[in-house]
Amino acid sequence: MQQYVIYKRVSTKAQGQSGLGLDAQVRDIELFLENFSEGPYEVLGEFLEIESGASSDRPELVKALDLVRKTGAELLVSKLDRLSRKVSFIATVMDDPKVKLRVASMPMAEPFQLHIYAALAEQEREFISIRTKAALAEAKEKGVKLGGLRPKTEARNEAIQANAKARAMKVSKIVMPLRGQGASLRAIAEALDVAGIDTARGGKWTAKQVQRTLERLSID
């Protein structure tokens, strides 16, 4: 019987209590177990971490990995970035001969593919960070006051727009060809979900979100 140890991670205590971000992980893992697990399976343990993806201090992950090594079970996460946002950290886990990693949203991915995906995801985050800083610097040059008590400043809006445009560019190679072939917004949303690409908030795509993405891509 195939055995799994499930590991989930949210960034804040509020997310853990509200289910924000956690529900999507639970759903993806359930879909994997129901549709992609090899034969009968058993879940030996479930661990929930409340910690930033950039942090290497993961007591719950340590417990999960200990159980994996002792039992030979597979470590199952919903998405690769739930394990970590650092390529070096992911590589260390994957290089452990006693640990086999499975990613629910990428059920057929081999270790080599997971390495590549982790590296590309890290590059994307670095690019978004650079674009956000550039937008803030440009806003400052225009005389926009940064900080203060107002929660929504022009600079913040520009940074958010730059972030959204970068995310739109990421999915453009899927969205644009499908739209060009006459695919509906709903069909494109389903294709993005099948590809394992989440929205900015870690959820599933809707036709309205696809429409907004197309609008961002049309703005040069």
Side-chain angles (χ1 to χ4, degrees), residues 131-144:
R131 287 198 64 167
T132 301
K133 290 177 182 178
L136 289 171
E138 184 178 349
K140 189 175 182 180
E141 288 179 1
K142 292 178 180 178
V144 177

Side-chain angles (χ1 to χ4, degrees), residues 153-200:
T153 64
E154 182 181 350
R156 179 175 176 82
N157 288 339
E158 289 188 20
I160 291 173
Q161 290 172 7
N163 194 332
K165 183 65 179 291
R167 293 189 62 85
M169 290 299 296
K170 176 188 174 184
V171 300
S172 62
K173 291 183 179 180
I174 296 178
V175 173
M176 298 304 287
L178 288 175
R179 192 58 171 170
Q181 294 169 11
S184 67
L185 297 177
R186 184 178 297 277
I188 296 174
E190 292 176 354
L192 291 169
D193 288 337
V194 170
I197 302 173
D198 287 344
T199 63

Side-chain angles (χ1 to χ4, degrees), residues 36-213:
F36 296 98
S37 180
E38 297 86 350
Y41 67 85
E42 178 184 10
V43 175
L44 299 184
E46 296 190 37
F47 298 85
L48 172 62
E49 197 93 68
I50 301 177
E51 186 57 75
S52 165
S55 174
S56 297
D57 183 17
R58 306 282 189 79
E60 294 303 309
L61 179 58
V62 170
K63 295 176 186 176
L65 289 172
D66 283 344
L67 184 57
V68 165
R69 295 186 184 104
K70 290 177 182 177
T71 62
E74 294 184 0
L75 180 67
L76 177 60
V77 297
S78 65
K79 292 175 59 182
L80 200 54
D81 65 5
R82 295 304 87 193
L83 180 61
S84 178
R85 294 185 182 277
K86 295 182 178 180
V87 176
S88 57
F89 188 96
I90 294 172
T92 299
V93 173
M94 294 179 63
D95 287 343
D96 189 326
K98 293 185 178 181
V99 176
K100 183 174 180 181
L101 175 66
R102 295 298 295 270
V103 181
S105 61
M106 304 174 68
M108 310 307 292
E110 298 293 330
F112 177 69
Q113 294 171 304
L114 293 178
H115 272 290
I116 293 176
Y117 180 83
L120 291 174
E122 186 171 88
Q123 287 183 17
E124 180 201 3
R125 286 190 295 272
E126 290 175 356
F127 178 73
I128 290 174
S129 176
I130 291 172
R131 287 198 64 167
T132 301
K133 290 177 182 178
L136 289 171
E138 184 178 349
K140 189 175 182 180
E141 288 179 1
K142 292 178 180 178
V144 177
K145 242 183 178 180
L146 304 181
L149 297 178
R150 295 177 61 189
K152 294 182 179 180
T153 64
E154 182 181 350
R156 179 175 176 82
N157 288 339
E158 289 188 20
I160 291 173
Q161 290 172 7
N163 194 332
K165 183 65 179 291
R167 293 189 62 85
M169 290 299 296
K170 176 188 174 184
V171 300
S172 62
K173 291 183 179 180
I174 296 178
V175 173
M176 298 304 287
L178 288 175
R179 192 58 171 170
Q181 294 169 11
S184 67
L185 297 177
R186 184 178 297 277
I188 296 174
E190 292 176 354
L192 291 169
D193 288 337
V194 170
I197 302 173
D198 287 344
T199 63
R201 296 186 178 182
K204 298 296 182 181
W205 287 83
T206 65
K208 187 174 183 179
Q209 288 169 320
V210 172
Q211 180 63 50
R212 288 175 180 170
T213 298

Side-chain angles (χ1 to χ4, degrees), residues 16-35:
Q17 293 175 338
S18 68
L20 181 62
L22 187 58
D23 289 344
Q25 294 180 59
V26 172
R27 181 181 62 246
D28 287 350
I29 288 171
E30 288 179 348
L31 287 172
F32 171 86
L33 293 174
E34 292 171 4
N35 297 279

